[in-house]
Amino acid sequence: MADQTESSVVIDSQPGDVLGVIADFERYPEWTGAVKEVEVLDRLPDGRAAKVRFILDAGAVRDTYSLDYTWDVEDDGTGELSWKLDQSGVMKAMDGSYRLTPTPAGTQVTYCLAIDLRIPMLGMLRRKAEKTIIDTALQELKKHVES
């Protein structure tokens, strides 16, 4: 899974505040369209999520999956939160990350994603689906943080 799709957005907020929203997995169903339920299955000693289960309903795509998280972030919220697929009914693999960088206008959030489905899919269609997922997630995040 070498090919990743990537996109960025600048959010008018400090990195720590943006990371706080990203890290509050249990509240995703309140502000994301496709995530219907979230459960943190395991936590690190500092309280951050280590493994999270999601129930996704994006119309034609429905899945229950869990992700393992790696936190490489500073106290101010800058850095990278990355994940790898643990279990899924639809996906064979999913690697992704949020990278938070301070800017004069707030925080640049860069979202990288690579998905490998259990069903065959042309690379260009997979990248288009990844791009749609990323752009939707970034816009929902921006709208929620800035509201």
Side-chain angles (χ1 to χ4, degrees), residues 20-21 24-39 54-55 137 139-141 143-145 147:
V21 170
D24 192 0
F25 296 105
E26 292 96 337
R27 295 193 65 190
Y28 278 26
E30 297 173 17
W31 59 272
T32 64
V35 177
K36 301 305 177 191
E37 187 178 318
V38 178
E39 179 183 5
F54 297 84
I55 297 177
Q139 290 310 309
E140 288 176 333
L141 177 63
K143 182 178 176 184
H144 182 70
V145 171
S147 65

mmCIF file with all atom_site columns, all heavy atoms in Angstrom, residues 20-21 24-39 54-55 137 139-141 143-145 147:
data_model
loop_
_atom_site.group_PDB
_atom_site.id
_atom_site.type_symbol
_atom_site.label_atom_id
_atom_site.label_alt_id
_atom_site.label_comp_id
_atom_site.label_asym_id
_atom_site.label_entity_id
_atom_site.label_seq_id
_atom_site.pdbx_PDB_ins_code
_atom_site.Cartn_x
_atom_site.Cartn_y
_atom_site.Cartn_z
_atom_site.occupancy
_atom_site.B_iso_or_equiv
_atom_site.pdbx_formal_charge
_atom_site.auth_seq_id
_atom_site.auth_comp_id
_atom_site.auth_asym_id
_atom_site.auth_atom_id
_atom_site.pdbx_PDB_model_num
ATOM 1   N N   . GLY A 1 20  ? -7.561  18.133 20.136 1.00 0.00 ? 20  GLY A N   1
ATOM 2   C CA  . GLY A 1 20  ? -8.564  17.757 21.130 1.00 0.00 ? 20  GLY A CA  1
ATOM 3   C C   . GLY A 1 20  ? -9.845  17.256 20.491 1.00 0.00 ? 20  GLY A C   1
ATOM 4   O O   . GLY A 1 20  ? -10.445 16.282 20.962 1.00 0.00 ? 20  GLY A O   1
ATOM 5   N N   . VAL A 1 21  ? -10.263 17.881 19.404 1.00 0.00 ? 21  VAL A N   1
ATOM 6   C CA  . VAL A 1 21  ? -11.467 17.439 18.691 1.00 0.00 ? 21  VAL A CA  1
ATOM 7   C C   . VAL A 1 21  ? -11.200 16.100 18.001 1.00 0.00 ? 21  VAL A C   1
ATOM 8   O O   . VAL A 1 21  ? -12.014 15.175 18.070 1.00 0.00 ? 21  VAL A O   1
ATOM 9   C CB  . VAL A 1 21  ? -11.933 18.507 17.676 1.00 0.00 ? 21  VAL A CB  1
ATOM 10  C CG1 . VAL A 1 21  ? -13.023 17.964 16.766 1.00 0.00 ? 21  VAL A CG1 1
ATOM 11  C CG2 . VAL A 1 21  ? -12.425 19.750 18.403 1.00 0.00 ? 21  VAL A CG2 1
ATOM 12  N N   . ASP A 1 24  ? -11.170 13.177 20.467 1.00 0.00 ? 24  ASP A N   1
ATOM 13  C CA  . ASP A 1 24  ? -12.421 12.902 21.184 1.00 0.00 ? 24  ASP A CA  1
ATOM 14  C C   . ASP A 1 24  ? -13.305 11.994 20.331 1.00 0.00 ? 24  ASP A C   1
ATOM 15  O O   . ASP A 1 24  ? -14.357 12.382 19.830 1.00 0.00 ? 24  ASP A O   1
ATOM 16  C CB  . ASP A 1 24  ? -13.127 14.215 21.516 1.00 0.00 ? 24  ASP A CB  1
ATOM 17  C CG  . ASP A 1 24  ? -14.264 14.030 22.489 1.00 0.00 ? 24  ASP A CG  1
ATOM 18  O OD1 . ASP A 1 24  ? -14.521 12.881 22.929 1.00 0.00 ? 24  ASP A OD1 1
ATOM 19  O OD2 . ASP A 1 24  ? -14.920 15.040 22.808 1.00 0.00 ? 24  ASP A OD2 1
ATOM 20  N N   . PHE A 1 25  ? -12.845 10.764 20.146 1.00 0.00 ? 25  PHE A N   1
ATOM 21  C CA  . PHE A 1 25  ? -13.478 9.825  19.226 1.00 0.00 ? 25  PHE A CA  1
ATOM 22  C C   . PHE A 1 25  ? -14.952 9.584  19.531 1.00 0.00 ? 25  PHE A C   1
ATOM 23  O O   . PHE A 1 25  ? -15.766 9.479  18.613 1.00 0.00 ? 25  PHE A O   1
ATOM 24  C CB  . PHE A 1 25  ? -12.721 8.493  19.242 1.00 0.00 ? 25  PHE A CB  1
ATOM 25  C CG  . PHE A 1 25  ? -11.316 8.604  18.749 1.00 0.00 ? 25  PHE A CG  1
ATOM 26  C CD1 . PHE A 1 25  ? -10.249 8.575  19.644 1.00 0.00 ? 25  PHE A CD1 1
ATOM 27  C CD2 . PHE A 1 25  ? -11.050 8.745  17.400 1.00 0.00 ? 25  PHE A CD2 1
ATOM 28  C CE1 . PHE A 1 25  ? -8.945  8.670  19.197 1.00 0.00 ? 25  PHE A CE1 1
ATOM 29  C CE2 . PHE A 1 25  ? -9.743  8.844  16.942 1.00 0.00 ? 25  PHE A CE2 1
ATOM 30  C CZ  . PHE A 1 25  ? -8.693  8.813  17.841 1.00 0.00 ? 25  PHE A CZ  1
ATOM 31  N N   . GLU A 1 26  ? -15.298 9.493  20.818 1.00 0.00 ? 26  GLU A N   1
ATOM 32  C CA  . GLU A 1 26  ? -16.675 9.181  21.191 1.00 0.00 ? 26  GLU A CA  1
ATOM 33  C C   . GLU A 1 26  ? -17.679 10.218 20.683 1.00 0.00 ? 26  GLU A C   1
ATOM 34  O O   . GLU A 1 26  ? -18.856 9.923  20.541 1.00 0.00 ? 26  GLU A O   1
ATOM 35  C CB  . GLU A 1 26  ? -16.812 9.053  22.717 1.00 0.00 ? 26  GLU A CB  1
ATOM 36  C CG  . GLU A 1 26  ? -16.086 7.848  23.297 1.00 0.00 ? 26  GLU A CG  1
ATOM 37  C CD  . GLU A 1 26  ? -14.695 8.194  23.825 1.00 0.00 ? 26  GLU A CD  1
ATOM 38  O OE1 . GLU A 1 26  ? -14.107 9.207  23.391 1.00 0.00 ? 26  GLU A OE1 1
ATOM 39  O OE2 . GLU A 1 26  ? -14.193 7.424  24.672 1.00 0.00 ? 26  GLU A OE2 1
ATOM 40  N N   . ARG A 1 27  ? -17.210 11.427 20.383 1.00 0.00 ? 27  ARG A N   1
ATOM 41  C CA  . ARG A 1 27  ? -18.122 12.481 19.916 1.00 0.00 ? 27  ARG A CA  1
ATOM 42  C C   . ARG A 1 27  ? -18.228 12.552 18.393 1.00 0.00 ? 27  ARG A C   1
ATOM 43  O O   . ARG A 1 27  ? -18.994 13.343 17.867 1.00 0.00 ? 27  ARG A O   1
ATOM 44  C CB  . ARG A 1 27  ? -17.686 13.827 20.485 1.00 0.00 ? 27  ARG A CB  1
ATOM 45  C CG  . ARG A 1 27  ? -17.830 13.803 22.028 1.00 0.00 ? 27  ARG A CG  1
ATOM 46  C CD  . ARG A 1 27  ? -17.729 15.114 22.660 1.00 0.00 ? 27  ARG A CD  1
ATOM 47  N NE  . ARG A 1 27  ? -18.831 15.965 22.246 1.00 0.00 ? 27  ARG A NE  1
ATOM 48  C CZ  . ARG A 1 27  ? -18.894 17.249 22.509 1.00 0.00 ? 27  ARG A CZ  1
ATOM 49  N NH1 . ARG A 1 27  ? -17.932 17.830 23.193 1.00 0.00 ? 27  ARG A NH1 1
ATOM 50  N NH2 . ARG A 1 27  ? -19.910 17.978 22.113 1.00 0.00 ? 27  ARG A NH2 1
ATOM 51  N N   . TYR A 1 28  ? -17.480 11.729 17.664 1.00 0.00 ? 28  TYR A N   1
ATOM 52  C CA  . TYR A 1 28  ? -17.536 11.756 16.201 1.00 0.00 ? 28  TYR A CA  1
ATOM 53  C C   . TYR A 1 28  ? -18.964 11.645 15.653 1.00 0.00 ? 28  TYR A C   1
ATOM 54  O O   . TYR A 1 28  ? -19.305 12.351 14.705 1.00 0.00 ? 28  TYR A O   1
ATOM 55  C CB  . TYR A 1 28  ? -16.671 10.648 15.595 1.00 0.00 ? 28  TYR A CB  1
ATOM 56  C CG  . TYR A 1 28  ? -15.197 10.954 15.489 1.00 0.00 ? 28  TYR A CG  1
ATOM 57  C CD1 . TYR A 1 28  ? -14.566 11.865 16.332 1.00 0.00 ? 28  TYR A CD1 1
ATOM 58  C CD2 . TYR A 1 28  ? -14.408 10.316 14.552 1.00 0.00 ? 28  TYR A CD2 1
ATOM 59  C CE1 . TYR A 1 28  ? -13.209 12.125 16.245 1.00 0.00 ? 28  TYR A CE1 1
ATOM 60  C CE2 . TYR A 1 28  ? -13.052 10.569 14.449 1.00 0.00 ? 28  TYR A CE2 1
ATOM 61  C CZ  . TYR A 1 28  ? -12.458 11.468 15.291 1.00 0.00 ? 28  TYR A CZ  1
ATOM 62  O OH  . TYR A 1 28  ? -11.114 11.717 15.186 1.00 0.00 ? 28  TYR A OH  1
ATOM 63  N N   . PRO A 1 29  ? -19.822 10.764 16.208 1.00 0.00 ? 29  PRO A N   1
ATOM 64  C CA  . PRO A 1 29  ? -21.174 10.672 15.660 1.00 0.00 ? 29  PRO A CA  1
ATOM 65  C C   . PRO A 1 29  ? -21.964 11.990 15.735 1.00 0.00 ? 29  PRO A C   1
ATOM 66  O O   . PRO A 1 29  ? -22.909 12.187 14.963 1.00 0.00 ? 29  PRO A O   1
ATOM 67  C CB  . PRO A 1 29  ? -21.838 9.593  16.518 1.00 0.00 ? 29  PRO A CB  1
ATOM 68  C CG  . PRO A 1 29  ? -20.693 8.746  16.991 1.00 0.00 ? 29  PRO A CG  1
ATOM 69  C CD  . PRO A 1 29  ? -19.566 9.729  17.217 1.00 0.00 ? 29  PRO A CD  1
ATOM 70  N N   . GLU A 1 30  ? -21.570 12.902 16.607 1.00 0.00 ? 30  GLU A N   1
ATOM 71  C CA  . GLU A 1 30  ? -22.267 14.188 16.735 1.00 0.00 ? 30  GLU A CA  1
ATOM 72  C C   . GLU A 1 30  ? -21.955 15.136 15.579 1.00 0.00 ? 30  GLU A C   1
ATOM 73  O O   . GLU A 1 30  ? -22.757 16.023 15.295 1.00 0.00 ? 30  GLU A O   1
ATOM 74  C CB  . GLU A 1 30  ? -21.874 14.875 18.048 1.00 0.00 ? 30  GLU A CB  1
ATOM 75  C CG  . GLU A 1 30  ? -22.281 14.116 19.291 1.00 0.00 ? 30  GLU A CG  1
ATOM 76  C CD  . GLU A 1 30  ? -21.734 14.753 20.556 1.00 0.00 ? 30  GLU A CD  1
ATOM 77  O OE1 . GLU A 1 30  ? -21.308 15.927 20.529 1.00 0.00 ? 30  GLU A OE1 1
ATOM 78  O OE2 . GLU A 1 30  ? -21.716 14.064 21.593 1.00 0.00 ? 30  GLU A OE2 1
ATOM 79  N N   . TRP A 1 31  ? -20.812 14.978 14.932 1.00 0.00 ? 31  TRP A N   1
ATOM 80  C CA  . TRP A 1 31  ? -20.444 15.971 13.929 1.00 0.00 ? 31  TRP A CA  1
ATOM 81  C C   . TRP A 1 31  ? -19.938 15.392 12.597 1.00 0.00 ? 31  TRP A C   1
ATOM 82  O O   . TRP A 1 31  ? -19.665 16.138 11.665 1.00 0.00 ? 31  TRP A O   1
ATOM 83  C CB  . TRP A 1 31  ? -19.411 16.955 14.483 1.00 0.00 ? 31  TRP A CB  1
ATOM 84  C CG  . TRP A 1 31  ? -18.128 16.375 14.974 1.00 0.00 ? 31  TRP A CG  1
ATOM 85  C CD1 . TRP A 1 31  ? -17.867 15.918 16.237 1.00 0.00 ? 31  TRP A CD1 1
ATOM 86  C CD2 . TRP A 1 31  ? -16.914 16.190 14.238 1.00 0.00 ? 31  TRP A CD2 1
ATOM 87  N NE1 . TRP A 1 31  ? -16.570 15.464 16.322 1.00 0.00 ? 31  TRP A NE1 1
ATOM 88  C CE2 . TRP A 1 31  ? -15.961 15.631 15.101 1.00 0.00 ? 31  TRP A CE2 1
ATOM 89  C CE3 . TRP A 1 31  ? -16.530 16.468 12.923 1.00 0.00 ? 31  TRP A CE3 1
ATOM 90  C CZ2 . TRP A 1 31  ? -14.666 15.331 14.706 1.00 0.00 ? 31  TRP A CZ2 1
ATOM 91  C CZ3 . TRP A 1 31  ? -15.240 16.166 12.522 1.00 0.00 ? 31  TRP A CZ3 1
ATOM 92  C CH2 . TRP A 1 31  ? -14.330 15.606 13.415 1.00 0.00 ? 31  TRP A CH2 1
ATOM 93  N N   . THR A 1 32  ? -19.803 14.071 12.518 1.00 0.00 ? 32  THR A N   1
ATOM 94  C CA  . THR A 1 32  ? -19.450 13.473 11.230 1.00 0.00 ? 32  THR A CA  1
ATOM 95  C C   . THR A 1 32  ? -20.684 12.821 10.639 1.00 0.00 ? 32  THR A C   1
ATOM 96  O O   . THR A 1 32  ? -21.521 12.281 11.369 1.00 0.00 ? 32  THR A O   1
ATOM 97  C CB  . THR A 1 32  ? -18.342 12.415 11.366 1.00 0.00 ? 32  THR A CB  1
ATOM 98  O OG1 . THR A 1 32  ? -18.824 11.344 12.153 1.00 0.00 ? 32  THR A OG1 1
ATOM 99  C CG2 . THR A 1 32  ? -17.090 12.995 11.992 1.00 0.00 ? 32  THR A CG2 1
ATOM 100 N N   . GLY A 1 33  ? -20.788 12.851 9.353  1.00 0.00 ? 33  GLY A N   1
ATOM 101 C CA  . GLY A 1 33  ? -21.977 12.308 8.703  1.00 0.00 ? 33  GLY A CA  1
ATOM 102 C C   . GLY A 1 33  ? -22.033 10.795 8.666  1.00 0.00 ? 33  GLY A C   1
ATOM 103 O O   . GLY A 1 33  ? -23.090 10.197 8.819  1.00 0.00 ? 33  GLY A O   1
ATOM 104 N N   . ALA A 1 34  ? -20.902 10.138 8.466  1.00 0.00 ? 34  ALA A N   1
ATOM 105 C CA  . ALA A 1 34  ? -20.906 8.701  8.209  1.00 0.00 ? 34  ALA A CA  1
ATOM 106 C C   . ALA A 1 34  ? -20.648 7.846  9.451  1.00 0.00 ? 34  ALA A C   1
ATOM 107 O O   . ALA A 1 34  ? -21.067 6.691  9.493  1.00 0.00 ? 34  ALA A O   1
ATOM 108 C CB  . ALA A 1 34  ? -19.874 8.363  7.141  1.00 0.00 ? 34  ALA A CB  1
ATOM 109 N N   . VAL A 1 35  ? -19.976 8.380  10.455 1.00 0.00 ? 35  VAL A N   1
ATOM 110 C CA  . VAL A 1 35  ? -19.664 7.593  11.653 1.00 0.00 ? 35  VAL A CA  1
ATOM 111 C C   . VAL A 1 35  ? -20.889 7.589  12.561 1.00 0.00 ? 35  VAL A C   1
ATOM 112 O O   . VAL A 1 35  ? -21.327 8.626  13.041 1.00 0.00 ? 35  VAL A O   1
ATOM 113 C CB  . VAL A 1 35  ? -18.434 8.154  12.392 1.00 0.00 ? 35  VAL A CB  1
ATOM 114 C CG1 . VAL A 1 35  ? -18.179 7.367  13.670 1.00 0.00 ? 35  VAL A CG1 1
ATOM 115 C CG2 . VAL A 1 35  ? -17.205 8.126  11.490 1.00 0.00 ? 35  VAL A CG2 1
ATOM 116 N N   . LYS A 1 36  ? -21.423 6.396  12.777 1.00 0.00 ? 36  LYS A N   1
ATOM 117 C CA  . LYS A 1 36  ? -22.656 6.273  13.553 1.00 0.00 ? 36  LYS A CA  1
ATOM 118 C C   . LYS A 1 36  ? -22.424 5.897  15.011 1.00 0.00 ? 36  LYS A C   1
ATOM 119 O O   . LYS A 1 36  ? -23.232 6.211  15.878 1.00 0.00 ? 36  LYS A O   1
ATOM 120 C CB  . LYS A 1 36  ? -23.592 5.235  12.911 1.00 0.00 ? 36  LYS A CB  1
ATOM 121 C CG  . LYS A 1 36  ? -23.970 5.591  11.480 1.00 0.00 ? 36  LYS A CG  1
ATOM 122 C CD  . LYS A 1 36  ? -24.572 6.983  11.387 1.00 0.00 ? 36  LYS A CD  1
ATOM 123 C CE  . LYS A 1 36  ? -24.895 7.373  9.976  1.00 0.00 ? 36  LYS A CE  1
ATOM 124 N NZ  . LYS A 1 36  ? -25.236 8.770  9.803  1.00 0.00 ? 36  LYS A NZ  1
ATOM 125 N N   . GLU A 1 37  ? -21.306 5.200  15.265 1.00 0.00 ? 37  GLU A N   1
ATOM 126 C CA  . GLU A 1 37  ? -21.016 4.771  16.640 1.00 0.00 ? 37  GLU A CA  1
ATOM 127 C C   . GLU A 1 37  ? -19.511 4.593  16.785 1.00 0.00 ? 37  GLU A C   1
ATOM 128 O O   . GLU A 1 37  ? -18.841 4.155  15.855 1.00 0.00 ? 37  GLU A O   1
ATOM 129 C CB  . GLU A 1 37  ? -21.726 3.448  16.922 1.00 0.00 ? 37  GLU A CB  1
ATOM 130 C CG  . GLU A 1 37  ? -21.646 2.981  18.347 1.00 0.00 ? 37  GLU A CG  1
ATOM 131 C CD  . GLU A 1 37  ? -22.412 1.680  18.551 1.00 0.00 ? 37  GLU A CD  1
ATOM 132 O OE1 . GLU A 1 37  ? -23.527 1.534  18.004 1.00 0.00 ? 37  GLU A OE1 1
ATOM 133 O OE2 . GLU A 1 37  ? -21.865 0.802  19.254 1.00 0.00 ? 37  GLU A OE2 1
ATOM 134 N N   . VAL A 1 38  ? -18.998 4.936  17.973 1.00 0.00 ? 38  VAL A N   1
ATOM 135 C CA  . VAL A 1 38  ? -17.569 4.797  18.257 1.00 0.00 ? 38  VAL A CA  1
ATOM 136 C C   . VAL A 1 38  ? -17.403 4.259  19.670 1.00 0.00 ? 38  VAL A C   1
ATOM 137 O O   . VAL A 1 38  ? -18.114 4.666  20.590 1.00 0.00 ? 38  VAL A O   1
ATOM 138 C CB  . VAL A 1 38  ? -16.830 6.159  18.144 1.00 0.00 ? 38  VAL A CB  1
ATOM 139 C CG1 . VAL A 1 38  ? -15.368 5.996  18.492 1.00 0.00 ? 38  VAL A CG1 1
ATOM 140 C CG2 . VAL A 1 38  ? -16.997 6.766  16.765 1.00 0.00 ? 38  VAL A CG2 1
ATOM 141 N N   . GLU A 1 39  ? -16.451 3.345  19.824 1.00 0.00 ? 39  GLU A N   1
ATOM 142 C CA  . GLU A 1 39  ? -16.109 2.839  21.149 1.00 0.00 ? 39  GLU A CA  1
ATOM 143 C C   . GLU A 1 39  ? -14.591 2.752  21.256 1.00 0.00 ? 39  GLU A C   1
ATOM 144 O O   . GLU A 1 39  ? -13.939 2.135  20.414 1.00 0.00 ? 39  GLU A O   1
ATOM 145 C CB  . GLU A 1 39  ? -16.716 1.455  21.356 1.00 0.00 ? 39  GLU A CB  1
ATOM 146 C CG  . GLU A 1 39  ? -16.391 0.856  22.706 1.00 0.00 ? 39  GLU A CG  1
ATOM 147 C CD  . GLU A 1 39  ? -16.928 -0.554 22.876 1.00 0.00 ? 39  GLU A CD  1
ATOM 148 O OE1 . GLU A 1 39  ? -17.481 -1.122 21.914 1.00 0.00 ? 39  GLU A OE1 1
ATOM 149 O OE2 . GLU A 1 39  ? -16.764 -1.096 23.984 1.00 0.00 ? 39  GLU A OE2 1
ATOM 150 N N   . PHE A 1 54  ? -15.172 1.614  15.139 1.00 0.00 ? 54  PHE A N   1
ATOM 151 C CA  . PHE A 1 54  ? -16.092 2.524  14.464 1.00 0.00 ? 54  PHE A CA  1
ATOM 152 C C   . PHE A 1 54  ? -17.175 1.725  13.754 1.00 0.00 ? 54  PHE A C   1
ATOM 153 O O   . PHE A 1 54  ? -16.894 0.671  13.185 1.00 0.00 ? 54  PHE A O   1
ATOM 154 C CB  . PHE A 1 54  ? -15.366 3.343  13.387 1.00 0.00 ? 54  PHE A CB  1
ATOM 155 C CG  . PHE A 1 54  ? -14.293 4.245  13.911 1.00 0.00 ? 54  PHE A CG  1
ATOM 156 C CD1 . PHE A 1 54  ? -13.014 3.769  14.140 1.00 0.00 ? 54  PHE A CD1 1
ATOM 157 C CD2 . PHE A 1 54  ? -14.563 5.582  14.166 1.00 0.00 ? 54  PHE A CD2 1
ATOM 158 C CE1 . PHE A 1 54  ? -12.012 4.603  14.617 1.00 0.00 ? 54  PHE A CE1 1
ATOM 159 C CE2 . PHE A 1 54  ? -13.570 6.417  14.643 1.00 0.00 ? 54  PHE A CE2 1
ATOM 160 C CZ  . PHE A 1 54  ? -12.297 5.928  14.868 1.00 0.00 ? 54  PHE A CZ  1
ATOM 161 N N   . ILE A 1 55  ? -18.395 2.248  13.764 1.00 0.00 ? 55  ILE A N   1
ATOM 162 C CA  . ILE A 1 55  ? -19.455 1.740  12.907 1.00 0.00 ? 55  ILE A CA  1
ATOM 163 C C   . ILE A 1 55  ? -19.738 2.838  11.897 1.00 0.00 ? 55  ILE A C   1
ATOM 164 O O   . ILE A 1 55  ? -20.108 3.954  12.270 1.00 0.00 ? 55  ILE A O   1
ATOM 165 C CB  . ILE A 1 55  ? -20.718 1.360  13.694 1.00 0.00 ? 55  ILE A CB  1
ATOM 166 C CG1 . ILE A 1 55  ? -20.398 0.215  14.660 1.00 0.00 ? 55  ILE A CG1 1
ATOM 167 C CG2 . ILE A 1 55  ? -21.846 0.982  12.736 1.00 0.00 ? 55  ILE A CG2 1
ATOM 168 C CD1 . ILE A 1 55  ? -21.554 -0.205 15.538 1.00 0.00 ? 55  ILE A CD1 1
ATOM 169 N N   . ALA A 1 137 ? -13.927 14.528 5.468  1.00 0.00 ? 137 ALA A N   1
ATOM 170 C CA  . ALA A 1 137 ? -13.476 14.536 6.868  1.00 0.00 ? 137 ALA A CA  1
ATOM 171 C C   . ALA A 1 137 ? -12.864 15.878 7.245  1.00 0.00 ? 137 ALA A C   1
ATOM 172 O O   . ALA A 1 137 ? -13.145 16.419 8.322  1.00 0.00 ? 137 ALA A O   1
ATOM 173 C CB  . ALA A 1 137 ? -12.479 13.408 7.105  1.00 0.00 ? 137 ALA A CB  1
ATOM 174 N N   . GLN A 1 139 ? -13.385 18.860 5.855  1.00 0.00 ? 139 GLN A N   1
ATOM 175 C CA  . GLN A 1 139 ? -14.401 19.916 5.896  1.00 0.00 ? 139 GLN A CA  1
ATOM 176 C C   . GLN A 1 139 ? -15.291 19.794 7.129  1.00 0.00 ? 139 GLN A C   1
ATOM 177 O O   . GLN A 1 139 ? -15.645 20.797 7.749  1.00 0.00 ? 139 GLN A O   1
ATOM 178 C CB  . GLN A 1 139 ? -15.233 19.907 4.606  1.00 0.00 ? 139 GLN A CB  1
ATOM 179 C CG  . GLN A 1 139 ? -14.448 20.377 3.394  1.00 0.00 ? 139 GLN A CG  1
ATOM 180 C CD  . GLN A 1 139 ? -13.713 21.694 3.632  1.00 0.00 ? 139 GLN A CD  1
ATOM 181 O OE1 . GLN A 1 139 ? -14.287 22.680 4.079  1.00 0.00 ? 139 GLN A OE1 1
ATOM 182 N NE2 . GLN A 1 139 ? -12.413 21.698 3.350  1.00 0.00 ? 139 GLN A NE2 1
ATOM 183 N N   . GLU A 1 140 ? -15.651 18.559 7.499  1.00 0.00 ? 140 GLU A N   1
ATOM 184 C CA  . GLU A 1 140 ? -16.443 18.359 8.718  1.00 0.00 ? 140 GLU A CA  1
ATOM 185 C C   . GLU A 1 140 ? -15.645 18.787 9.949  1.00 0.00 ? 140 GLU A C   1
ATOM 186 O O   . GLU A 1 140 ? -16.202 19.426 10.857 1.00 0.00 ? 140 GLU A O   1
ATOM 187 C CB  . GLU A 1 140 ? -16.880 16.893 8.843  1.00 0.00 ? 140 GLU A CB  1
ATOM 188 C CG  . GLU A 1 140 ? -17.954 16.497 7.861  1.00 0.00 ? 140 GLU A CG  1
ATOM 189 C CD  . GLU A 1 140 ? -18.321 15.019 7.931  1.00 0.00 ? 140 GLU A CD  1
ATOM 190 O OE1 . GLU A 1 140 ? -17.464 14.190 8.337  1.00 0.00 ? 140 GLU A OE1 1
ATOM 191 O OE2 . GLU A 1 140 ? -19.461 14.698 7.571  1.00 0.00 ? 140 GLU A OE2 1
ATOM 192 N N   . LEU A 1 141 ? -14.364 18.440 9.989  1.00 0.00 ? 141 LEU A N   1
ATOM 193 C CA  . LEU A 1 141 ? -13.508 18.835 11.107 1.00 0.00 ? 141 LEU A CA  1
ATOM 194 C C   . LEU A 1 141 ? -13.407 20.350 11.204 1.00 0.00 ? 141 LEU A C   1
ATOM 195 O O   . LEU A 1 141 ? -13.587 20.919 12.277 1.00 0.00 ? 141 LEU A O   1
ATOM 196 C CB  . LEU A 1 141 ? -12.117 18.211 10.956 1.00 0.00 ? 141 LEU A CB  1
ATOM 197 C CG  . LEU A 1 141 ? -11.081 18.582 12.005 1.00 0.00 ? 141 LEU A CG  1
ATOM 198 C CD1 . LEU A 1 141 ? -11.496 18.105 13.391 1.00 0.00 ? 141 LEU A CD1 1
ATOM 199 C CD2 . LEU A 1 141 ? -9.713  18.013 11.619 1.00 0.00 ? 141 LEU A CD2 1
ATOM 200 N N   . LYS A 1 143 ? -15.413 22.672 10.019 1.00 0.00 ? 143 LYS A N   1
ATOM 201 C CA  . LYS A 1 143 ? -16.714 23.255 10.402 1.00 0.00 ? 143 LYS A CA  1
ATOM 202 C C   . LYS A 1 143 ? -16.973 23.062 11.900 1.00 0.00 ? 143 LYS A C   1
ATOM 203 O O   . LYS A 1 143 ? -17.384 24.007 12.585 1.00 0.00 ? 143 LYS A O   1
ATOM 204 C CB  . LYS A 1 143 ? -17.831 22.597 9.591  1.00 0.00 ? 143 LYS A CB  1
ATOM 205 C CG  . LYS A 1 143 ? -19.202 23.140 9.873  1.00 0.00 ? 143 LYS A CG  1
ATOM 206 C CD  . LYS A 1 143 ? -20.247 22.475 9.009  1.00 0.00 ? 143 LYS A CD  1
ATOM 207 C CE  . LYS A 1 143 ? -21.622 22.953 9.368  1.00 0.00 ? 143 LYS A CE  1
ATOM 208 N NZ  . LYS A 1 143 ? -22.664 22.243 8.611  1.00 0.00 ? 143 LYS A NZ  1
ATOM 209 N N   . HIS A 1 144 ? -16.657 21.886 12.422 1.00 0.00 ? 144 HIS A N   1
ATOM 210 C CA  . HIS A 1 144 ? -16.916 21.613 13.832 1.00 0.00 ? 144 HIS A CA  1
ATOM 211 C C   . HIS A 1 144 ? -15.992 22.429 14.745 1.00 0.00 ? 144 HIS A C   1
ATOM 212 O O   . HIS A 1 144 ? -16.456 23.020 15.731 1.00 0.00 ? 144 HIS A O   1
ATOM 213 C CB  . HIS A 1 144 ? -16.755 20.125 14.124 1.00 0.00 ? 144 HIS A CB  1
ATOM 214 C CG  . HIS A 1 144 ? -17.047 19.763 15.539 1.00 0.00 ? 144 HIS A CG  1
ATOM 215 N ND1 . HIS A 1 144 ? -18.334 19.795 16.064 1.00 0.00 ? 144 HIS A ND1 1
ATOM 216 C CD2 . HIS A 1 144 ? -16.234 19.369 16.545 1.00 0.00 ? 144 HIS A CD2 1
ATOM 217 C CE1 . HIS A 1 144 ? -18.283 19.442 17.333 1.00 0.00 ? 144 HIS A CE1 1
ATOM 218 N NE2 . HIS A 1 144 ? -17.020 19.177 17.646 1.00 0.00 ? 144 HIS A NE2 1
ATOM 219 N N   . VAL A 1 145 ? -14.699 22.480 14.415 1.00 0.00 ? 145 VAL A N   1
ATOM 220 C CA  . VAL A 1 145 ? -13.755 23.206 15.265 1.00 0.00 ? 145 VAL A CA  1
ATOM 221 C C   . VAL A 1 145 ? -14.048 24.701 15.232 1.00 0.00 ? 145 VAL A C   1
ATOM 222 O O   . VAL A 1 145 ? -13.983 25.370 16.273 1.00 0.00 ? 145 VAL A O   1
ATOM 223 C CB  . VAL A 1 145 ? -12.294 22.944 14.826 1.00 0.00 ? 145 VAL A CB  1
ATOM 224 C CG1 . VAL A 1 145 ? -11.331 23.862 15.557 1.00 0.00 ? 145 VAL A CG1 1
ATOM 225 C CG2 . VAL A 1 145 ? -11.919 21.480 15.072 1.00 0.00 ? 145 VAL A CG2 1
ATOM 226 N N   . SER A 1 147 ? -16.865 26.235 14.646 1.00 0.00 ? 147 SER A N   1
ATOM 227 C CA  . SER A 1 147 ? -18.238 26.658 15.037 1.00 0.00 ? 147 SER A CA  1
ATOM 228 C C   . SER A 1 147 ? -18.334 26.995 16.518 1.00 0.00 ? 147 SER A C   1
ATOM 229 O O   . SER A 1 147 ? -17.518 26.702 17.311 1.00 0.00 ? 147 SER A O   1
ATOM 230 C CB  . SER A 1 147 ? -19.239 25.566 14.702 1.00 0.00 ? 147 SER A CB  1
ATOM 231 O OG  . SER A 1 147 ? -19.016 24.396 15.453 1.00 0.00 ? 147 SER A OG  1
#
